[in-house]
Amino acid sequence: MPRSERSPLLLAGLLATAGVAHFAAPRQFDATIPRSLPGTPRTWTYVSGAAELAMAAGLALPRTRRTAALAAAAFFVGVFPAHVKMAADWRHRPTPQKAAAFCRLPLQVPLVLWARGVARNAEGRS
Protein backbone atom coordinates (compact mmCIF):
# COMPACT_ATOMS: atom_id res chain seq x y z
CA MET A 1 0.00 0.00 0.00
CA PRO A 2 1.49 3.38 -1.01
CA ARG A 3 2.33 5.85 1.73
CA SER A 4 -0.45 8.27 0.72
CA GLU A 5 -3.01 5.47 1.13
CA ARG A 6 -1.67 4.52 4.58
CA SER A 7 -1.59 8.07 5.88
CA PRO A 8 -5.34 8.40 6.55
CA LEU A 9 -5.38 5.03 8.28
CA LEU A 10 -2.41 5.96 10.46
CA LEU A 11 -4.10 9.23 11.42
CA ALA A 12 -7.30 7.27 12.13
CA GLY A 13 -5.30 4.91 14.35
CA LEU A 14 -3.78 7.81 16.27
CA LEU A 15 -7.20 9.38 16.85
CA ALA A 16 -8.81 6.05 17.76
CA THR A 17 -6.07 5.33 20.30
CA ALA A 18 -6.46 8.78 21.85
CA GLY A 19 -10.24 8.44 21.86
CA VAL A 20 -10.14 5.11 23.67
CA ALA A 21 -7.64 6.55 26.17
CA HIS A 22 -10.12 9.30 27.05
CA PHE A 23 -12.56 6.64 28.22
CA ALA A 24 -10.03 4.21 29.68
CA ALA A 25 -8.15 6.79 31.78
CA PRO A 26 -10.28 9.95 31.87
CA ARG A 27 -8.71 11.47 34.97
CA GLN A 28 -5.47 12.40 33.20
CA PHE A 29 -7.46 14.24 30.52
CA ASP A 30 -9.77 15.94 33.02
CA ALA A 31 -6.76 17.76 34.44
CA THR A 32 -6.01 19.41 31.08
CA ILE A 33 -9.46 20.91 30.56
CA PRO A 34 -9.34 24.71 30.92
CA ARG A 35 -11.48 25.87 33.85
CA SER A 36 -13.02 28.58 31.71
CA LEU A 37 -15.08 25.99 29.79
CA PRO A 38 -18.65 25.45 30.96
CA GLY A 39 -19.63 22.10 32.44
CA THR A 40 -17.44 19.52 34.09
CA PRO A 41 -13.99 18.46 32.92
CA ARG A 42 -15.20 14.84 32.71
CA THR A 43 -17.92 15.83 30.24
CA TRP A 44 -15.33 17.55 28.03
CA THR A 45 -13.04 14.53 28.33
CA TYR A 46 -15.77 12.19 27.14
CA VAL A 47 -16.95 14.56 24.39
CA SER A 48 -13.42 14.95 23.01
CA GLY A 49 -12.86 11.17 23.22
CA ALA A 50 -16.09 10.53 21.32
CA ALA A 51 -15.12 13.15 18.74
CA GLU A 52 -11.74 11.47 18.24
CA LEU A 53 -13.43 8.10 17.74
CA ALA A 54 -15.91 9.61 15.25
CA MET A 55 -13.10 11.29 13.29
CA ALA A 56 -11.14 8.03 13.27
CA ALA A 57 -14.14 6.21 11.81
CA GLY A 58 -14.62 8.96 9.22
CA LEU A 59 -10.97 8.83 8.19
CA ALA A 60 -11.17 5.08 7.68
CA LEU A 61 -13.93 5.44 5.09
CA PRO A 62 -12.98 7.01 1.73
CA ARG A 63 -16.44 8.59 1.34
CA THR A 64 -16.13 10.59 4.59
CA ARG A 65 -12.35 10.96 4.69
CA ARG A 66 -12.11 14.56 3.50
CA THR A 67 -14.70 15.86 5.98
CA ALA A 68 -13.20 13.84 8.84
CA ALA A 69 -9.70 15.06 8.02
CA LEU A 70 -10.83 18.70 8.01
CA ALA A 71 -12.60 18.07 11.33
CA ALA A 72 -9.40 16.55 12.71
CA ALA A 73 -7.36 19.59 11.64
CA ALA A 74 -9.85 21.87 13.40
CA PHE A 75 -9.87 19.57 16.43
CA PHE A 76 -6.07 19.69 16.73
CA VAL A 77 -6.26 23.49 16.74
CA GLY A 78 -9.15 23.42 19.22
CA VAL A 79 -7.39 21.26 21.80
CA PHE A 80 -4.28 23.44 21.79
CA PRO A 81 -5.47 25.41 24.87
CA ALA A 82 -5.63 22.14 26.83
CA HIS A 83 -2.01 21.43 25.90
CA VAL A 84 -1.01 24.94 26.96
CA LYS A 85 -2.79 24.42 30.29
CA MET A 86 -1.00 21.12 30.79
CA ALA A 87 2.39 22.72 30.09
CA ALA A 88 1.63 25.52 32.55
CA ASP A 89 0.40 23.09 35.20
CA TRP A 90 3.47 20.87 34.79
CA ARG A 91 6.07 23.66 34.90
CA HIS A 92 7.13 22.61 38.42
CA ARG A 93 7.25 18.86 37.75
CA PRO A 94 10.48 16.93 37.22
CA THR A 95 12.38 17.91 34.08
CA PRO A 96 11.36 14.90 31.91
CA GLN A 97 7.64 15.50 32.55
CA LYS A 98 8.00 19.24 32.08
CA ALA A 99 9.90 18.70 28.82
CA ALA A 100 7.23 16.29 27.54
CA ALA A 101 4.47 18.79 28.29
CA PHE A 102 6.27 21.65 26.56
CA CYS A 103 7.34 19.51 23.58
CA ARG A 104 3.70 18.64 22.89
CA LEU A 105 2.92 22.24 22.02
CA PRO A 106 4.79 22.48 18.69
CA LEU A 107 3.68 18.95 17.77
CA GLN A 108 0.18 20.28 17.11
CA VAL A 109 1.47 21.98 13.95
CA PRO A 110 2.49 18.76 12.14
CA LEU A 111 -0.76 17.13 13.25
CA VAL A 112 -2.79 19.95 11.70
CA LEU A 113 -0.71 19.79 8.52
CA TRP A 114 -1.05 15.99 8.38
CA ALA A 115 -4.83 16.19 8.65
CA ARG A 116 -4.97 18.93 6.00
CA GLY A 117 -2.81 16.80 3.70
CA VAL A 118 -5.14 13.84 4.15
CA ALA A 119 -8.10 16.09 3.30
CA ARG A 120 -6.33 17.44 0.22
CA ASN A 121 -5.46 13.94 -1.01
CA ALA A 122 -9.06 12.81 -0.44
CA GLU A 123 -10.54 15.51 -2.69
CA GLY A 124 -12.28 14.12 -5.71
CA ARG A 125 -12.18 10.53 -4.42
CA SER A 126 -15.27 8.61 -3.51
Side-chain angles (χ1 to χ4, degrees), residues 4-124:
S4 64
E5 290 178 30
R6 282 193 314 259
S7 185
L9 301 179
L10 292 171
L11 183 57
L14 175 87
L15 284 163
T17 301
V20 168
H22 279 71
F23 290 96
R27 192 203 259 154
Q28 69 183 12
F29 296 98
D30 293 348
T32 68
I33 305 299
R35 290 186 198 105
S36 60
L37 291 175
T40 67
R42 182 61 50 93
T43 299
W44 285 101
T45 294
Y46 287 156
V47 167
S48 67
E52 287 169 324
L53 291 170
M55 288 180 283
L59 285 162
L61 301 170
R63 182 185 286 191
T64 56
R65 185 167 291 153
R66 182 176 186 280
T67 300
L70 292 173
F75 180 81
F76 293 139
V77 171
V79 299
F80 188 73
H83 295 292
V84 171
K85 181 182 183 309
M86 180 180 168
D89 290 348
W90 286 24
R91 69 187 178 277
H92 300 299
R93 291 209 178 179
T95 301
Q97 290 177 340
K98 184 172 32 178
F102 279 94
C103 287
R104 284 182 75 175
L105 299 176
L107 288 177
Q108 292 302 111
V109 173
L111 288 173
V112 170
L113 295 176
W114 183 12
R116 286 184 58 210
V118 168
R120 192 171 29 258
N121 287 335
E123 288 186 59

